[in-house]
């Protein structure tokens, strides 16, 4: 069965600093990997996804993530964090076939300080 | 041009009541899902429907009954609400042959 681990429950960064949110997954086949962001009181917005091909994927809002099969990781990065990036970030894994539910990590809460 | 919409956005009710949450998507997707997000923000699948047919039913009390009148709608009815049902319920949809799911804004249910 799939599983996702986000080791960091809460991260605080200064505005303008770089950011890396960690995600490790466990899946027996080719993983389909996603990062979603949830702003306070809001729904889930898809930031980016990886299915195949280039292991460095670009997303919205200046985010990128790198798939490393050898480390079973899909870490999310941003070179310069803005105060509006403060939110909850979820990594998720899906299966190759469609209509398969996503398995989510427990989320990482990002706080941004001036 | 809302993609996945849910009503109501907030729902406050008493224990023992019966309530429904509605979900609609205008993306032309044929698969829809209900996820539950608990107080610790953990998201877990509850149900999945493909072309109006139930395909996934996780370990959810049978007080929860999903209904899909057509491919664009997936409603969630909850009987005899309990305190532990308090959570945020998210609807999502996708194409059968696509792994990307799009989420609604969530329904925040509080059972008193």
């Amino acid at each position: 069965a799939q599983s996702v681990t986000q080791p960091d429950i809460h991260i605080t960064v200064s505005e303008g600093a770089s950011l890396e949110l960690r995600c490790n997954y466990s899946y027996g086949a080719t993983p389909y990997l996603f990062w979603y962001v949830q702003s306070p009181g809001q729904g889930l917005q898809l930031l980016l996804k990886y299915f195949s091909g280039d292991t460095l994927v670009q997303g919205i809002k200046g985010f990128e993530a790198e798939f490393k099969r050898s480390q079973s990781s899909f870490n999310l990065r941003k070179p310069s964090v803005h105060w509006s990036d403060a939110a909850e970030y979820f990594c998720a894994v899906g299966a190759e076939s469609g209509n398969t539910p996503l398995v989510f990590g427990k989320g990482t809460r990002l706080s941004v300080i001036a | 041009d809302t993609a996945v919409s849910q009503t109501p956005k907030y729902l406050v009710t008493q224990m023992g009541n019966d309530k429904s949450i509605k979900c609609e998507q205008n993306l032309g997707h044929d698969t829809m899902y209900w996820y539950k997000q608990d107080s610790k923000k953990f998201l877990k699948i509850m149900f999945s429907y493909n072309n109006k047919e139930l395909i996934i039913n996780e370990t959810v009390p049978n007080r929860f009954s999903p209904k899909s009148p057509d491919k664009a709608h997936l409603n969630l009815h909850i009987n005899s609400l309990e305190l532990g049902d308090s959570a945020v319920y998210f609807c999502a949809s996708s194409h059968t042959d696509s792994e990307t799911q799009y989420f609604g804004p969530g329904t925040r249910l509080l059972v008193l």
Side-chain angles (χ1 to χ4, degrees):
Chain A
Q2 306 105 297
S3 68
V4 176
T5 301
Q6 293 181 246
D8 304 306
I9 296 174
H10 184 201
I11 284 182
T12 299
V13 300
S14 299
E15 192 169 14
S18 63
L19 169 71
E20 183 169 29
L21 301 182
R22 296 184 290 165
C23 172
N24 293 96
Y25 67 90
S26 173
Y27 187 58
T30 303
Y32 285 67
L33 295 159
F34 306 82
W35 275 100
Y36 285 86
V37 60
Q38 183 180 24
S39 298
Q42 301 298 312
L44 290 159
Q45 182 181 24
L46 179 67
L47 281 177
L48 47 76
K49 59 189 177 185
Y50 171 78
F51 293 163
S52 64
D54 192 346
T55 56
L56 184 63
V57 293
Q58 302 297 321
I60 62 171
K61 304 185 180 187
F63 284 92
E64 65 177 27
E66 185 170 13
F67 171 60
K68 292 186 178 180
R69 186 184 297 274
S70 61
Q71 298 177 19
S72 297
S73 70
F74 188 56
N75 294 348
L76 181 72
R77 302 194 293 246
K78 186 169 184 178
S80 176
V81 168
H82 187 261
W83 64 266
S84 60
D85 293 324
E88 193 89 21
Y89 291 81
F90 293 94
C91 181
V93 64
E96 184 170 349
S97 62
N99 66 51
T100 303
L102 298 176
V103 174
F104 285 85
K106 293 191 175 183
T108 297
R109 182 160 62 94
L110 173 66
S111 296
V112 180
I113 56 176
Chain B
D1 58 345
T2 305
V4 183
S5 60
Q6 294 178 229
T7 53
K9 191 170 182 180
Y10 299 95
L11 184 54
V12 181
T13 188
Q14 300 285 334
M15 264 196 320
N17 284 350
D18 303 337
K19 291 293 178 186
S20 291
I21 306 172
K22 295 185 177 182
C23 177
E24 177 181 2
Q25 55 92 6
N26 62 6
L27 297 167
H29 291 165
D30 47 19
T31 304
M32 296 184 73
Y33 312 80
W34 278 110
Y35 289 84
K36 180 180 179 180
Q37 185 177 45
D38 63 23
S39 59
K40 295 183 179 179
K41 303 269 187 179
F42 185 50
L43 277 151
K44 191 172 180 187
I45 185 68
M46 298 174 69
F47 301 102
S48 172
Y49 268 73
N50 178 255
N51 285 313
K52 303 193 300 174
E53 287 191 21
L54 180 66
I55 55 173
I56 289 174
N57 182 352
E58 292 295 308
T59 308
V60 176
N62 57 15
R63 298 182 294 104
F64 290 77
S65 52
K67 282 190 172 50
S68 183
D70 55 58
K71 288 199 306 184
H73 295 85
L74 180 61
N75 304 324
L76 183 65
H77 187 75
I78 315 170
N79 287 326
S80 303
L81 277 156
E82 299 177 357
L83 294 177
D85 297 332
S86 296
V88 183
Y89 293 84
F90 285 101
C91 177
S93 71
S94 69
H95 273 299
T96 302
D97 58 356
S98 170
E99 304 75 9
T100 303
Q101 296 181 20
Y102 295 89
F103 284 77
T107 295
R108 285 144 186 83
L109 171 65
L110 177 60
V111 182
L112 302 174

